[in-house]
Amino acid sequence: MNSIAIQLDGLRSPNKNKRYEACEQLRVAPHLPQEAIRALEQVSDDLDPDVADAARRALLAHLQDEADFIHMPARDAEEAPVQSAGPATDYQVMLKEIRSWGFWSLAWGVLHLIASGIFSAPWGLLLLVVGLGSLYFRTASMFIIYAVTLAWAAFSNLMAGAGGWTVFALLQIILALRVFWQFRRFRKTEEEFFETSSESPGSTPNTESNALRAEQTARFFPWASLFLGGWSFLGLLAVWVGMVIQVAAARGTTPNLQVFGFLESLVVEFAVLGFAVALASLLSGYRPKVVAIIGLGAGLLTITVEYALYFLLLA
């Protein structure tokens, strides 16, 4: 059995580690037959995200090599060195992951708004903002935002207390840790990609556009975290003042605090977003750091005060 056949058997293995290793071996193979290309296309939808990522990288590597060969002058084909996939391929994988997160966030956000009687409408609005942000801020820092929102969703589900939600929360925590690992990986990929692109004699319009967006993200995120964190804390105080006024105006009758409850939840969700953007800024090295630190502290303060009051009322 030849090497390609062995790796194809590995792709069919029930062990995810063997499937991952087979994808990596096929990625560095000098040439793949159509059978292997079709097998990788199937594995690119693998239930394990790491295996699916590895399959996509292998496909991109060989598709890129084939395109380079087609456009290569015949006299240079034998002399040309074999090129590895490199940062460019991993960067494209990162962009695909961000697009996927964006579309899923938008879909879940719309679902939460439509079924607000079952789900949380403020959480749906947060998902919409994250989804829309993914369509523009296509940088590795977005994975910190995904990880924080997943961790916050897990915390909220644990607070719900029901057994089914607890299991779901544990899965979200595992996914959040995986996404954080993706940030570390893609942050390095992003740096290598822009470094190699700047050293090339010419860059494509897409590369220049992505570099410009990365620079805009670096400038925007610290100030966005300050705005979201500061606004959320002031908003929480304003909501509480409004609730007190509403209760006083009711004069013994039952006050209608539904709107204030919605606003309070919305303020806390955007405090989480401010915290996430600030953390993404700090871990990505965006400046000014002091602005991101203030935004981080303001968002965390809002969340802490909200839940301190919550547990105080339960006591």
Side-chain angles (χ1 to χ4, degrees):
M1 183 179 292
N2 61 34
S3 178
I4 296 296
I6 292 174
Q7 304 312 326
L8 290 178
D9 283 341
L11 291 180
R12 293 187 286 268
S13 172
N15 187 315
K16 67 178 183 179
N17 293 328
K18 290 184 178 180
R19 296 199 303 276
Y20 181 89
E21 181 61 26
C23 291
E24 289 298 291
Q25 292 297 326
L26 290 172
R27 181 172 69 85
V28 299
H31 176 71
L32 292 184
Q34 285 301 313
E35 179 185 8
I37 295 293
R38 288 193 294 269
L40 284 170
E41 287 175 345
Q42 293 176 354
V43 180
S44 66
D45 293 325
D46 196 278
L47 293 177
D48 185 88
D50 290 331
V51 175
D53 284 350
R56 295 186 193 115
R57 290 199 303 273
L59 285 170
L60 284 169
H62 286 281
L63 289 174
Q64 177 175 310
D65 289 344
E66 288 180 10
D68 291 344
F69 181 82
I70 289 171
H71 293 91
M72 190 182 302
R75 64 178 180 276
D76 296 332
E78 295 181 358
E79 300 175 1
V82 176
Q83 298 293 328
S84 62
T89 299
D90 286 342
Y91 185 76
Q92 292 302 318
V93 172
M94 182 193 80
L95 294 181
K96 288 182 66 176
E97 283 285 318
I98 293 174
R99 283 195 297 269
S100 178
W101 274 101
F103 291 137
W104 276 107
S105 296
L106 290 172
W108 278 103
V110 170
L111 177 63
H112 276 69
L113 290 179
I114 293 174
S116 58
I118 302 174
F119 300 113
S120 169
W123 175 248
L125 289 172
L126 173 63
L127 290 176
L128 287 177
V129 172
V130 171
L132 291 173
S134 301
L135 301 181
Y136 185 83
F137 300 109
R138 296 180 297 181
T139 67
S141 56
M142 288 300 300
F143 288 90
I144 293 297
I145 296 176
Y146 304 146
V148 171
T149 52
L150 278 168
W152 177 250
F155 174 77
S156 300
N157 287 327
L158 287 173
M159 292 291 293
W165 287 114
T166 300
V167 173
F168 191 52
L170 294 176
L171 294 175
Q172 289 173 318
I173 291 172
I174 294 172
L175 182 56
L177 292 173
R178 175 187 171 273
V179 173
F180 181 78
W181 176 85
Q182 281 187 311
F183 162 76
R184 297 182 62 186
R185 166 190 159 198
F186 286 136
R187 178 64 181 164
K188 182 178 179 181
T189 293
E190 190 175 51
E191 291 174 347
E192 292 177 350
F193 173 72
F194 288 127
E195 182 179 350
T196 55
S197 298
S198 64
E199 294 172 354
S200 301
S203 57
T204 65
N206 283 340
T207 301
E208 294 176 357
S209 174
N210 288 329
L212 177 61
R213 290 191 181 189
E215 292 177 4
Q216 291 173 340
T217 302
R219 291 195 299 267
F220 177 76
F221 266 33
W223 294 102
S225 70
L226 177 63
F227 171 78
L228 289 168
W231 173 86
S232 64
F233 184 70
L234 294 176
L236 185 63
L237 294 178
V239 169
W240 285 351
V241 169
M243 292 174 68
V244 170
I245 293 174
Q246 182 75 5
V247 170
R251 295 183 180 180
T253 61
T254 303
N256 184 3
L257 301 178
Q258 186 175 358
V259 173
F260 290 104
F262 172 84
L263 292 175
E264 184 176 12
S265 297
L266 185 64
V267 164
V268 173
E269 301 294 358
F270 279 88
V272 173
L273 183 58
F275 175 86
V277 174
L279 187 61
S281 299
L282 293 171
L283 293 179
S284 300
Y286 297 160
R287 297 179 182 277
K289 288 187 177 181
V290 65
V291 174
I293 291 173
I294 295 172
L296 184 82
L300 185 60
L301 180 61
T302 302
I303 299 167
T304 302
V305 170
E306 167 69 11
Y307 278 90
L309 181 63
Y310 172 79
F311 287 115
L312 184 63
L313 293 175
L314 287 180

